[in-house]
Amino acid sequence: MRAGGNGDGRRSGLLTGWQAIATHFGRNQSTVRRWAATADLPVHRGSSDKGVAVYAYVDELDAWLTRRSTEAAGRGASAPEATTPEALSKSASEAAVKITTARRRVLAWTAAAATVGLLAGGTAIRVLQESAALPPPTTAEIPVEAREFFLRGTYLWNRRTPEGIAGAIEALNRAIEIHPEYAEAHAGLAMSYNLARQYSGMSGWEAYPRAEAAARRAVELDPGLAQAQAALAFVEFHWHWRVEAGLTRFRQAIQLDPNAASTHMWYASALLLAGQPQAALPVAERAQILDPDNSAVLNIKAQALFFGDDVEGALDLIAEMIAQDPGFIWSYYTRALIRLSQGDLAGYLADYARLGDMIGVPRYRAAAEAGMAALAEAESGAESDAGPEAGLEAMALALFDAEKEFYDRGEALAWDLARHHALVSDADEALRWLRISLNRREERLIGIRFDPAFRPIHDHPDFSALLEDMGFLPQGR
């Protein structure tokens, strides 16, 4: 695992156990436990399977302490007073009045949802709510122009197109320029950058650091803003590979806003990537109830059905989605995965090419066309007597050769090359390229459990070791 479990988190940024957290503050365990219960100390609950009850990140603890000290100073208190348990407990409720509050968030998001059609006909299903009451609204007003840019940005990133993502980033930055303490705009900007990697072809190396900066600013401005916590969970899971921490923060975001369809969708997607399709399906279905017409939500549900072994149900849902919303990009990605797993190589390559066209990544089509030519030659030649394996091997080799040229130019990932070797059970070469991908911190590596291309090497011991090095729990846990 990347993070050590010895309790010495000052080097790794990770503190494991109450004692390590208490030592970081120079306090005793009972004090920090009380802060966690009454003052929103950012402590995460670990899995009992790992033997770690709680853990925390130094940067989050320090940001929390800085925020509390600043709030106390604003009330005329001294900095030492701000760190006493009494002052911290008191400031937990007072601080909410000074920042963007939950009630204003509801109004802002409802207005945005009315613009983009995210609320599904008033549908609501009651779920367990937080016991704490919402804090009273602040008197601070969002400038009208900033609000208009925020609403436009929210509409655009929910379109999930390259043009929409670019427009959302521009609009939300304008909202922040007008009102720098606009927490919702920072959170929306974070989500726009999170989605830019997937929908616009922006690299994870560029997108995720920007997403993290915006998400952390949003959380700093309003720790109770569900979308901010969800955006930060996205970064933790997909970029930093803090798998358990990311899943935990997604759950916290859902507690803050149980009716946020997008958070349920992202949580379901993370569960799928973590190899938990049975847990992902009910979360995806909840997202569908909240937003039944959202193609992104339906796409995650289709993936959950597929990885839960309901292939027919997944294909039926994808077919319906493509018929109703042919411009939604990632339906074709999901169908490509299903077709690959079913041995429909021509269909897989067709969807691979279409995906590249739709997100503006030409190498997908170039590789797919090379694979199609090799597949056709293998199927028509004398070597076809060897069976479908000959076509698969020819296709995989052609895909590798085509994408290797892009890789050498810095336009493809080691992950892509590993996929093509894994397809034909070449574990040694696949794992060699996966290790390169790990060392390069390629963001797509988080999908290693998810992609059917890697199924032929799942049982290799080095594959399991790679998962653990990334932060996944051992398989079967």
Side-chain angles (χ1 to χ4, degrees):
M1 300 289 287
R2 292 181 296 113
N6 59 4
D8 181 11
R10 295 180 185 271
R11 294 188 183 130
S12 67
L14 177 68
L15 301 169
T16 56
W18 287 114
Q19 184 57 58
I21 297 168
T23 300
H24 179 74
F25 285 113
R27 300 281 179 167
N28 58 38
Q29 290 191 47
S30 61
T31 297
V32 294
R33 285 175 184 268
R34 184 165 62 253
W35 291 352
T38 63
D40 296 326
L41 185 70
V43 173
H44 306 284
R45 301 287 171 179
S47 168
S48 59
D49 292 342
K50 297 168 67 176
V52 176
V54 296
Y55 59 95
Y57 294 104
V58 168
D59 56 348
E60 294 180 355
L61 297 179
D62 290 348
W64 174 87
L65 183 59
T66 299
R67 185 173 67 252
R68 298 300 177 185
S69 299
T70 301
E71 290 162 1
R75 298 193 304 275
S78 64
E81 180 184 347
T83 61
T84 65
E86 292 75 19
L88 286 167
S89 297
K90 182 179 178 183
S91 68
S93 59
E94 292 177 347
V97 181
K98 298 181 64 179
I99 59 179
T100 306
T101 65
R103 292 191 188 278
R104 196 181 76 207
R105 291 198 307 274
V106 172
L107 293 174
W109 183 247
T110 302
T115 304
V116 301
L118 291 179
L119 295 184
T123 300
I125 294 181
R126 292 191 58 81
V127 297
L128 182 64
Q129 303 287 330
E130 292 277 68
S131 59
L134 289 174
T138 181
T139 57
E141 293 294 334
I142 304 296
V144 172
E145 187 179 9
R147 169 104 25 175
E148 289 300 320
F149 277 117
F150 166 71
L151 294 176
R152 175 169 175 75
T154 302
Y155 164 71
L156 288 171
W157 72 252
N158 274 284
R159 290 183 63 194
R160 289 175 167 81
T161 64
E163 299 78 14
I165 296 298
I169 290 171
E170 180 180 358
L172 291 164
N173 272 314
R174 287 288 292 118
I176 292 167
E177 288 173 7
I178 296 166
H179 188 56
E181 296 187 353
Y182 198 167
E184 291 95 333
H186 285 283
L189 182 62
M191 283 318 311
S192 298
Y193 279 121
N194 280 334
L195 296 174
R197 197 280 307 164
Q198 183 178 8
Y199 288 93
S200 72
M202 184 183 293
S203 74
W205 294 301
E206 180 180 1
Y208 282 129
R210 296 182 182 187
E212 181 171 16
R216 290 199 180 278
R217 178 58 175 153
V219 169
E220 179 185 0
L221 290 167
D222 189 352
L225 178 58
Q227 190 181 17
Q229 295 289 354
L232 188 53
F234 200 103
V235 172
E236 283 184 328
F237 185 93
H238 290 270
W239 181 237
H240 292 300
W241 303 336
R242 296 173 180 167
V243 174
E244 295 303 306
L247 294 175
T248 297
R249 194 183 293 272
F250 273 126
R251 289 191 289 269
Q252 293 171 344
I254 289 172
Q255 287 181 333
L256 289 169
D257 185 358
N259 294 319
S262 58
T263 305
H264 283 81
M265 175 187 67
W266 291 318
Y267 179 41
S269 177
L271 287 169
L272 286 172
L273 292 171
Q276 302 177 42
Q278 287 75 25
L281 182 57
V283 179
E285 289 175 336
R286 169 68 176 155
Q288 183 184 11
I289 290 171
L290 293 168
D291 195 356
D293 298 322
N294 188 322
S295 293
V297 168
L298 295 176
N299 186 54
I300 297 301
K301 180 181 178 180
Q303 291 177 0
L305 290 170
F306 167 55
F307 287 101
D309 295 325
D310 185 359
V311 177
E312 183 177 353
L315 285 172
D316 287 346
L317 181 54
I318 289 293
E320 181 180 353
M321 290 170 59
I322 291 175
Q324 297 296 323
D325 187 8
F328 180 69
I329 297 170
W330 293 92
S331 301
Y332 304 99
Y333 168 75
T334 300
R335 191 173 67 178
L337 295 180
I338 298 174
R339 284 176 163 176
L340 177 62
S341 71
Q342 299 297 297
D344 180 3
L345 302 183
Y348 162 69
L349 292 171
D351 281 336
Y352 194 69
R354 182 190 292 267
L355 179 64
D357 293 343
M358 296 180 78
I359 65 174
V361 180
R363 67 179 173 84
Y364 283 20
R365 174 163 290 280
E369 289 179 350
M372 290 175 186
L375 184 62
E377 182 178 354
E379 290 178 345
S380 63
E383 64 270 31
S384 62
D385 293 339
E389 292 80 8
L392 176 63
E393 291 179 7
M395 180 196 78
L397 178 60
L399 288 169
F400 177 88
D401 289 343
E403 297 215 68
K404 179 64 163 56
E405 293 183 12
F406 287 95
Y407 177 82
D408 290 340
R409 299 200 298 265
E411 299 175 20
L413 302 176
W415 154 272
D416 298 302
L417 304 181
R419 289 183 79 248
H420 307 319
H421 282 291
L423 273 173
V424 292
S425 303
D426 186 353
D428 290 341
E429 275 300 292
L431 287 161
R432 184 174 75 84
W433 284 105
L434 285 173
R435 282 288 169 185
I436 294 172
S437 180
L438 177 66
N439 292 336
R440 285 162 51 93
R441 291 201 58 80
E442 294 177 351
E443 79 281 356
R444 291 198 64 190
L445 193 59
I446 193 67
I448 191 173
R449 270 184 166 172
F450 177 85
D451 194 320
F454 293 103
R455 285 180 178 174
I457 65 170
H458 274 193
D459 293 334
H460 197 287
D462 288 346
F463 184 84
S464 298
L466 184 71
L467 289 176
E468 293 192 48
D469 287 346
M470 290 181 61
F472 285 109
L473 291 175
Q475 295 195 73
R477 294 284 292 279

